[in-house]
Amino acid sequence: MDEVNPGHDAAPAAPARAGDVLRAAREAQGLSLADVGARTRIPNRHLAAIEASDYQSLPSATYAMGFAKAYARAVGADEVAIAHSVRAEVDRIGRRQSDYVPHDIADPARVPPRGLAILGVGVALAILVLVALWFGTELFHNRTATTPEAPEIAAPTPAAAPRTVTQPVPAVTTGQVTLVANDEVWLRVYDANNETLFLRTMKAGERFDVPTTAREPKINVGRPDKLTIMLNGKATPPLGDGSRPIKDVRVDAAAVGARLAGTPIPAAAPVPAAEPAPPRPLNAAAIPE
């Protein structure tokens, strides 16, 4: 009879990593990483990093969670369990410091208005005319100084150039904000409560209308150069050149309208404080007579 040592229990098997589970599911269906990439529109290098549990090479924990869930749906795995496993692994190895550097958004306010440019050209022409008249007058005086018989002729006074005043164009603060993909681009839209309104990779030509009832909607986008933001059908300047992802950019009508008008983006509206409850009436029996 084999002896059993009651003092040493078998060590529990370590839980399978999310990447191992996804790789096993993919191989069981005879799929390659390229097949999964075609289904999810996720680059193969990111899929390989997920299978290797190399979350440090992904842009952020949010990317790791979104990519892993999309991978799970593509191979028929439990995306909720995969998401929990990825979250636990990311927390265990420590969160990666974001390498995001805010990108200077093209500001239309730095470009002079058309009216101001016309005014500048007019002033420059007027100065040239004055200089030409001054030199011409001096030359005429020098010539008449040697000819006493010729009467002195006064130079005409040039008329001042008309001054135009440009009025600032008021920014549009209401309307429909639409996000249009120029190419395949990953996008997340969320509100002031961090509730996700949209999260996936958009295809070229795909559109998403930001709900007008959403409070202070913002976006995170992997390639800002492949996304066009429109307000009532009018496109705004690009948010970046695509060299790095951007995040926490407001896309409500007031913010987008300010970008179109070249004015500062208005501050976010404060959350109204709850009104205090009315005082409770005193018990008549407790009031002394």
Side-chain angles (χ1 to χ4, degrees):
M1 179 182 296
D2 296 334
E3 294 183 359
V4 179
N5 187 355
H8 296 81
D9 296 332
R17 299 181 305 177
D20 297 334
V21 174
L22 293 174
R23 183 189 300 108
R26 173 178 62 79
E27 293 176 349
Q29 298 183 28
L31 300 175
S32 64
L33 277 180
D35 295 331
V36 178
R39 293 183 180 183
T40 61
R41 304 293 184 180
I42 298 174
N44 290 347
R45 66 180 185 278
H46 290 165
L47 296 175
I50 292 173
E51 286 191 354
S53 298
D54 181 16
Y55 304 115
Q56 293 287 350
S57 63
L58 297 177
S60 65
T62 302
Y63 278 81
M65 296 281 291
F67 289 167
K69 291 174 68 176
Y71 191 153
R73 287 193 298 269
V75 298
D78 186 351
E79 63 179 279
V80 176
I82 291 295
H84 286 310
S85 179
V86 171
R87 172 64 67 184
E89 293 179 37
V90 170
D91 292 341
R92 186 163 55 251
I93 64 178
R95 295 181 181 272
R96 178 189 180 191
Q97 294 293 332
S98 175
D99 58 357
Y100 164 71
V101 177
H103 181 78
D104 289 336
I105 298 175
D107 188 0
R110 298 180 182 178
V111 180
R114 182 179 179 182
L116 184 60
I118 295 175
L119 176 62
V121 173
V123 172
L125 290 176
I127 293 175
L128 290 176
V129 170
L130 290 175
V131 172
L133 288 175
W134 184 82
F135 276 103
T137 303
E138 288 294 321
L139 181 61
F140 182 81
H141 285 171
N142 291 337
R143 289 183 176 180
T144 56
T146 59
T147 311
E149 298 81 11
E152 184 177 356
I153 302 176
T157 303
R163 182 178 180 182
T164 60
V165 179
T166 59
Q167 297 293 334
V169 179
V172 180
T173 59
T174 59
Q176 178 62 60
V177 176
T178 303
L179 310 178
V180 183
N182 305 325
D183 201 342
E184 290 186 1
V185 59
W186 181 88
L187 174 68
R188 181 188 179 220
V189 186
Y190 54 98
D191 60 12
N193 297 324
N194 203 25
E195 293 291 336
T196 299
L197 307 176
F198 182 90
L199 174 61
R200 64 182 174 86
T201 299
M202 301 177 70
K203 298 180 180 179
E206 190 173 352
R207 305 163 63 93
F208 174 73
D209 292 332
V210 178
T212 56
T213 57
R215 187 167 68 87
E216 298 174 22
K218 299 179 181 180
I219 62 170
N220 294 348
V221 58
R223 289 290 303 270
D225 59 322
K226 295 184 178 182
L227 183 71
T228 299
I229 302 177
M230 306 179 68
L231 176 61
N232 298 329
K234 187 175 183 180
T236 64
L239 297 177
D241 58 5
S243 60
R244 62 182 66 252
I246 63 173
K247 60 187 298 187
D248 300 332
V249 176
R250 285 177 53 189
V251 291
D252 54 283
V256 176
R259 291 193 191 98
L260 282 172
T263 59
I265 297 178
V271 179
E275 297 182 358
R280 298 178 59 185
L282 297 175
N283 190 351
I287 301 177
E289 296 181 355

